[in-house]
Amino acid sequence: MKNLRKFVSLILVVIVVTYLSGCEIITPLTPPPQLTQEEVILLTSHSWGGNCVARWRDGAVIEVYDETNFPLLEEVLNDWNEALSGSIFLTTTDDPNEAEVTIVFGSLSSDGQAEIKWHNDLSFYEGRVIIDPIGGRNNLAIYKHEFGHIVGVYNHFAAGLMAAVVTSEEIDQEVKNYLKLLYSVPIGYCF
Ligand SMILES: [Zn+2]
């Protein structure tokens, strides 16, 4: 009987140790890859988290519900998915309750607007795109621009699709470089 108790306690200790070492592995604040000064500046100039990395979790599947019925939404999502090369995946849903991101119409002083909510660890969990019914309706560049904010761009770039005044419908290389950096550094890491 005594031996059995000893055995059970030993098993419990083994389980606890296994559990603790499992926790060690998922600790998010591992050191980031070696970045150049330019890369750190690019990253911290455009992150929603300022000097910290704020973004969707690795491999997140982000379902998008579109109240505005934009006919080219698939093109918008596909272009961002390609630019993100599998880090996260945007897809559409017909069920508003399943959606992480919702697109709605709303009167704005600009053509579009994007909002993001995040947890304390700086991981995103909800987004909203607001499209002005006059300036933004059926405007591919505006939808694409706002989804740039949803996937991780906060401050605007100097030119191109993610500039304050959109000058292109293409996702340029600098934005792709930024997103690659953003999704290569752990969520919540601060420079
Ligand atoms: Zn913007």
Side-chain angles (χ1 to χ4, degrees):
M1 192 62 183
K2 223 177 184 183
N3 276 345
L4 180 66
R5 254 191 227 151
K6 255 189 195 167
F7 180 70
V8 168
S9 331
L10 181 69
I11 291 291
L12 282 177
V13 166
V14 168
I15 289 170
V16 168
V17 167
T18 310
Y19 179 72
L20 285 178
S21 60
C23 283
E24 286 290 308
I25 294 164
I26 57 162
T27 299
L29 293 181
T30 49
Q34 284 294 317
L35 302 184
T36 64
Q37 194 59 29
E38 286 76 19
E39 288 172 328
V40 172
I41 290 168
L42 177 62
L43 187 43
T44 56
S45 300
H46 300 284
S47 171
W48 282 88
N51 285 343
C52 301
V53 170
R55 58 171 173 80
W56 298 94
R57 289 184 197 283
D58 295 321
V61 176
I62 301 150
E63 297 194 67
V64 179
Y65 179 73
D66 181 19
E67 281 187 15
T68 69
N69 291 315
F70 179 49
L72 301 178
L73 185 61
E74 290 284 349
E75 181 180 334
V76 171
L77 304 187
N78 288 345
D79 277 11
W80 283 114
N81 283 337
E82 204 174 298
L84 287 152
S85 17
S87 305
I88 58 174
F89 185 71
L90 298 160
T91 182
T92 55
T93 177
D94 293 330
D95 182 356
N97 297 318
E98 277 191 6
E100 280 79 30
V101 176
T102 309
I103 311 172
V104 297
F105 279 128
S107 285
L108 301 168
S109 53
S110 59
D111 295 337
Q113 187 176 301
E115 300 166 351
I116 281 285
K117 289 183 184 172
W118 57 72
H119 295 293
N120 287 340
D121 69 351
L122 304 189
S123 62
F124 296 172
Y125 66 90
E126 197 181 307
R128 195 159 78 119
V129 170
I130 305 166
I131 297 292
D132 183 81
I134 297 163
R137 187 191 293 268
N138 288 346
N139 187 328
L140 178 63
I142 295 301
Y143 276 80
K144 216 185 261 189
H145 175 97
E146 299 311 332
F147 270 87
H149 289 307
I150 292 294
V151 299
V153 176
Y154 179 62
N155 287 320
H156 291 121
F157 283 72
L161 176 68
M162 291 315 296
V165 176
V166 181
T167 58
S168 164
E169 284 182 1
E170 301 299 315
I171 304 169
D172 51 87
Q173 195 56 48
E174 199 187 5
V175 172
K176 288 180 187 172
N177 293 345
Y178 162 72
L179 290 172
K180 196 174 177 190
L181 285 172
L182 185 73
Y183 283 87
S184 69
V185 177
I187 293 174
Y189 186 88
C190 297
F191 290 91

